[in-house]
Structure formats: structure tokens, C-alpha cells
Amino acid sequence: MKCYFYVWLVSVLPGKLICKEGNSGPTHESLKAVFDLQPFRPAENLTNPTITNISFTLYAVLGVNEKAQLLSTFLWLRLYWHNEFLVWDPEECDGVTKISLPVKELWSPDIIVYELLFFLTCLIPSPSSVDDDVSQACPYVYVNHTGHIRWDRMLRLVSACNLEIFSFPFDVQNCTFTFGSYMHTSKTKLFIMHGIFKKLIRVRDVRVSPALTFKEMSANSRRYLEASGEWELMDILGETSILQFGVDEWDIITFWVVIRRRPVLYVVNLLIPSSFLMLIDILSFYLPPHSVDRASFKMTLILGYTVFLLIMNDLLPSTANGTPLIGIYFSVCLALMVISLLETVIITNVLHHSSMKYQEIPKWVKVIILKHIANMICYRWPKEAPLPPRKAPEDKPESTNSNSGPWVIQHATQTHDRHSTSNQGAASLPELQQICQYLQDLRSHLTSLKKESELQEQWCHVGYVLDFLLFRIYLLLISCYALVIITMWCIWISQS
């Protein structure tokens, strides 16, 4: 039965198209015979594959969705293949070498993009398309007298792409477009049982190859993509390979589209404002904490930085695969601001709460902070501790001496012995003892104040050492991040 079908198919093949005198080109009757063969692959010998040549031009990068890992592009896809039934002699057809025919009436290769999620084409809208309005239609193909067909398709593709956003906004993306036939294989091995023998039959349907060199495709795309907004085309690379699944093999062409982001928008809107806020926060360390309310100033900066991050959150890409380095930079800057505020609160509490009872500094604090850390950051010990001014108590005399108590007591005792014999009723011994008790209390109070002042001075030194340490750590981290960003920018420029 298969043999009879093959004989019938060969018998109806038109060979060359017929041209009548007075007609420019093949006649409608001869083309109608070719249209009737539209369901069949246009090859006289079905064992010979149909070669499909593919090329495309990248017109625009419409958008990148980092969270969904999607790339939206606009392509001009061009397909070439050979139809052995559409052949005529130009001399017999009034010099006509090329005609246009409706693509629906001809066999066409089922070339798809394997990474494609959905597409919009100017020919037939995809069922998954959300836009029903197709403004332009291109239902025709060009056919020359040798049977070679050219089909141009304008496509808006939404394809899957593994996006790397760690170096945002200086990132370079490498997305893959894999073109190949969906159903037609390039080689299929069939084992047919004929009695006790096996017969191997190789079936070849469609093979694909690039129509232009990858360098030419890249040059054409770069010329049309020069004014394409945020993204810039670097190169288009590719290779042909074979996709094997079981006994079937498909010819595929893999294109690597390398694009990079133009970072000027994000540098102006993200990095520069953040750098200004961080510079102000660094300069706030030069405010004297004992005379200026530095904590309220830092709280205002934190509030402004938080509002800045909320406003600019839409510009930062988000994905489950990772976090961009600039996002880590913003988080570290905010954490440093909070830590500097906490440190300022501690120092302010040490300097301005003179009524608190200070405890002895632990030994490990003296060794680690006042000795090793102070030497490491080159902290200079002031001659006098910068203590806040303190009002004298109302019951405290204007000038007191901690060593005046014994002298007053001795002088009072001598005076009492000298006048005890002459004026026994003038003063009594209990009154002198009460005066001595008052003077001893005053001495102990002055001694405790002196000890508290020394402890306060030591704790102030601890606070100043921590302030200097945090300031230098602040500068080191900000400098490292600035160096990393500048290096990434230089690498981005060197790739152009």
C-alpha cells in the first residue's frame, strides 16, 4: 500500500511550473497543483531532508523581569528553505524570477524557540497571547524561480533566561535562543521486522543551519539596537548541534545573545544620593558628643535614608536566586547608621548622666579597649578629660579642701583646751563633737565625688575609644564598597 501511495505522489508532481504566453509568471493552474500538495514536505525524494536556513536581527530589548527570570525581545526572524515543486524557467515566464505567494497555501517548517514561553507574531497570534489586536499582517512569502523561499516574521518573544543580578547595575546578561524543528527530525532510525530479519531505515525530514554568519547577525543587530534605551548589545554567538532523544535526532542552532545594562540611570538615582547621605553621617562623627545632641542628628539621617530606600525599592531587581551587591551595600550602610546611633546614645549617656553611680571598669575592658584597641587606632590621651560642666550643689561651700577636716578638728580641740579653764560655760563638748562629725561627713562626700569623677573620666575614655574605633571601621567599609563599585564600573567600561 505504501508503494502505491508513493507511486501516486510521484505521478502528480508537476516538475516545472508551466508558463503560458501572455502571462507574466507561472499560471494559476500550475500553482494550484502545488497548493494541493501543501500537507506534504516539498521533496521529490522523501529520504532527502529539507534544509532550513535561519537568521534573525535583534531590534529591541523590551524588558527584563529578574524576579520571573524572563527576557522580552523583538526579533526579525528570517527563514529560507527549498521547495522542489516551485521551479520554473524565467525565459519561458516573461523574465519573472520572483513571486509572492500566501504562506498558508505552502508547506513551512515548524521552527520554534525552545526557551519560548509565548510570542506575538504578525502572522498568526499565539493562543497564549494577551493581545488580540494585530496591527500588521505578513501572510506572504517570496519564492524565486529556483524554488527557494524566504519568509520574514516579526516576533515579540518572552523567553526564559538565567539572569545574574549580583553585579547590578553593571551586569552583563547572556541569554540563549535555541532554534529547531518541533516535530520534524533530522535523523530517525526505524527497525522494520520482515520475517526474522530486521531492516534499518533512516528517515531524514528537516535540517537547520545559519543563513548568515554569527558575526554578520551581531553587526546587523547592533546597528538597529544602538538607541534601545537601557540595554546594549555586546555580541551574538552561536553554534549548531544535535539534540538527541531516544532514537530521534534534531538539528538545533543555539544563539547566545550577550547584552549589558547601561548603569547611568541607577548611578544617578541610587549610588550618588546614598553616597551623599553616608558622607553626612561620616562627618557627624566630628560633632562633639558632650556639647551637641548628635543622637537626634543621626536619627534624622536614618529616617531620611529609610525613606530613600523605600522610594528607590522599585529600581532594585529582586530574584530568589540571589541579592545584588548594591542591595547588600544599602543594607550595610543602614546597619552602620544604626550602630553609630547606638554608640552615640551610649557615649551621651556616659557624658551627661552625672548623677549615675559609676562602677569600676572591668579588667578585661581596660586591657582590650583602653590598651590594645587604643594603641591600634592611635588614640591620643588628652591631658584633661572633656567632662561636661557641672553645677555646684546648693549646700556645698564655695571653696573646700578634702584635707581641711583634720586641721579644723585639731584647731578646735586646741582652742577648747586653751579656753576650757577660763570659759567653761561658753561652749560645750557635744557641740564640738557635732561639728567634727559634720566635717568628717563632708570629707567622705568630697572623697566619693573625686572617685566618681575619676571613674567618669575613665568611662569617657572608653566611650571615646569606641567612637574612634567605629569611625575607622565605618570609613574602612565604605571605602571597600566604593572601591568594589568603581572596579565593577571599570570592568564594565573595559568590555565595550
Side-chain angles (χ1 to χ4, degrees):
M1 182 176 179
K2 293 183 179 179
C3 295
Y4 289 116
F5 173 77
Y6 179 76
V7 171
W8 173 84
L9 183 61
V10 172
S11 63
V12 299
L13 291 179
K16 287 187 178 182
L17 297 179
I18 301 174
C19 298
K20 292 184 179 180
E21 187 177 356
N23 292 338
S24 297
T27 62
H28 181 268
E29 291 78 8
S30 61
L31 290 175
K32 186 67 169 58
V34 177
F35 294 160
D36 293 338
L37 298 175
Q38 185 265 342
F40 304 99
R41 187 166 60 88
E44 295 183 1
N45 187 355
L46 295 179
T47 59
N48 295 329
T50 299
I51 308 297
T52 303
N53 302 109
I54 302 173
S55 68
F56 73 91
T57 301
L58 180 64
Y59 268 89
V61 179
L62 302 179
V64 173
N65 190 338
E66 293 86 359
K67 186 175 183 180
Q69 298 284 289
L70 298 178
L71 173 67
S72 300
T73 54
F74 188 73
L75 302 180
W76 183 359
L77 179 64
R78 179 167 288 183
L79 302 178
Y80 300 89
W81 71 92
H82 184 237
N83 191 323
E84 298 180 5
F85 305 152
L86 291 173
V87 179
W88 69 89
D89 189 358
E91 296 180 357
E92 298 177 358
C93 297
D94 206 7
V96 175
T97 59
K98 184 170 63 174
I99 60 175
S100 61
L101 296 176
V103 69
K104 291 183 179 180
E105 302 293 337
L106 300 175
W107 179 91
S108 59
D110 54 342
I111 301 299
I112 63 169
V113 182
Y114 288 180
E115 295 83 6
L116 183 66
L117 298 181
F118 70 87
F119 69 95
L120 293 177
T121 176
C122 61
L123 178 62
I124 302 174
S126 173
S128 59
S129 170
V130 295
D131 295 339
D132 295 331
D133 181 20
V134 180
S135 58
Q136 295 181 357
C138 49
Y140 295 98
V141 295
Y142 272 117
V143 182
N144 63 10
H145 67 282
T146 60
H148 288 86
I149 301 176
R150 190 192 76 188
W151 187 21
D152 294 337
R153 303 174 64 185
M154 305 298 293
L155 304 177
R156 182 166 70 89
L157 272 67
V158 178
S159 57
C161 180
N162 187 15
L163 302 173
E164 298 290 341
I165 62 171
F166 179 76
S167 57
F168 173 87
F170 309 101
D171 52 332
V172 177
Q173 306 297 341
N174 189 352
C175 295
T176 305
F177 292 158
T178 304
F179 290 88
S181 176
Y182 177 74
M183 189 65 186
H184 296 87
T185 61
S186 62
K187 183 185 296 185
T188 301
K189 299 178 181 179
L190 297 178
F191 294 94
I192 300 177
M193 298 296 298
H194 184 71
I196 60 174
F197 300 101
K198 283 185 179 181
K199 186 177 181 181
L200 176 62
I201 299 178
R202 298 182 182 270
V203 179
R204 297 177 176 88
D205 290 333
V206 175
R207 305 200 66 179
V208 297
S209 63
L212 300 175
T213 63
F214 301 117
K215 187 176 182 180
E216 291 174 341
M217 296 183 197
S218 179
N220 294 335
S221 300
R222 191 179 294 111
R223 183 169 62 252
Y224 289 105
L225 200 66
E226 287 180 353
S228 189
E230 181 181 355
W231 293 94
E232 176 185 2
L233 178 64
M234 295 184 62
D235 200 0
I236 294 180
L237 307 174
E239 69 174 7
T240 58
S241 59
I242 296 176
L243 176 63
Q244 187 171 3
F245 184 77
V247 297
D248 297 327
E249 295 180 0
W250 287 266
D251 275 4
I252 59 174
I253 303 178
T254 304
F255 296 94
W256 289 281
V257 179
V258 183
I259 57 176
R260 67 174 182 176
R261 198 189 306 263
R262 292 187 174 99
V264 178
L265 172 67
Y266 302 97
V267 171
V268 173
N269 292 308
L270 291 178
L271 292 179
I272 293 180
S274 176
S275 301
F276 286 159
L277 292 175
M278 296 308 300
L279 179 62
I280 295 175
D281 191 49
I282 291 174
L283 295 178
S284 66
F285 279 93
Y286 290 97
L287 296 175
H290 60 276
S291 60
V292 179
D293 191 3
R294 198 167 74 176
S296 61
F297 181 78
K298 286 183 174 292
M299 289 179 64
T300 305
L301 279 179
I302 292 177
L303 179 61
Y305 199 80
T306 305
V307 174
F308 162 75
L309 292 181
L310 291 176
I311 294 175
M312 296 302 170
N313 189 36
D314 294 337
L315 293 178
L316 290 176
S318 60
T319 176
N321 294 339
T323 304
L325 184 62
I326 189 174
I328 301 175
Y329 167 74
F330 290 151
S331 301
V332 171
C333 291
L334 184 60
L336 288 176
M337 284 185 172
V338 174
I339 294 174
S340 65
L341 175 61
L342 295 177
E343 184 261 349
T344 302
V345 170
I346 294 174
I347 294 179
T348 305
N349 183 58
V350 170
L351 296 179
H352 292 274
H353 288 68
S354 58
S355 60
M356 65 178 293
K357 298 298 181 181
Y358 292 94
Q359 298 179 356
E360 289 286 343
I361 299 179
K363 185 176 181 181
W364 65 270
V365 175
K366 292 182 180 179
V367 174
I368 297 177
I369 297 179
L370 297 181
K371 184 178 179 181
H372 296 291
I373 296 181
N375 294 332
M376 182 179 63
I377 64 176
C378 300
Y379 176 75
R380 296 182 180 179
W381 299 93
K383 295 181 180 179
E384 296 181 358
L387 299 177
R390 184 187 304 137
K391 295 182 180 180
E394 296 180 357
D395 57 347
K396 183 179 179 180
E398 295 182 358
S399 60
T400 57
N401 191 351
S402 61
N403 296 326
S404 61
W407 179 84
V408 173
I409 296 175
Q410 184 180 3
H411 180 71
T413 305
Q414 292 177 358
T415 304
H416 173 69
D417 293 339
R418 194 167 49 248
H419 295 86
S420 61
T421 56
S422 60
N423 193 9
Q424 295 179 357
S428 59
L429 184 60
E431 294 178 352
L432 293 177
Q433 291 178 351
Q434 187 176 7
I435 294 174
C436 293
Q437 183 65 33
Y438 287 158
L439 293 176
Q440 290 178 357
D441 293 341
L442 179 61
R443 179 184 180 184
S444 60
H445 178 67
L446 293 176
T447 303
S448 62
L449 287 179
K450 181 179 180 182
K451 184 178 180 181
E452 184 178 345
S453 177
E454 292 176 353
L455 290 176
Q456 182 182 5
E457 182 180 355
Q458 294 177 3
W459 281 109
C460 287
H461 283 301
V462 173
Y464 284 126
V465 170
L466 294 177
D467 190 45
F468 273 71
L469 176 64
L470 182 62
F471 177 63
R472 281 157 175 75
I473 294 176
Y474 208 118
L475 287 179
L476 179 62
L477 291 178
I478 296 300
S479 301
C480 291
Y481 270 107
L483 183 61
V484 170
I485 292 175
I486 292 174
T487 304
M488 292 169 59
W489 199 345
C490 294
I491 293 174
W492 182 89
I493 294 175
S494 64
Q495 291 176 347
S496 59

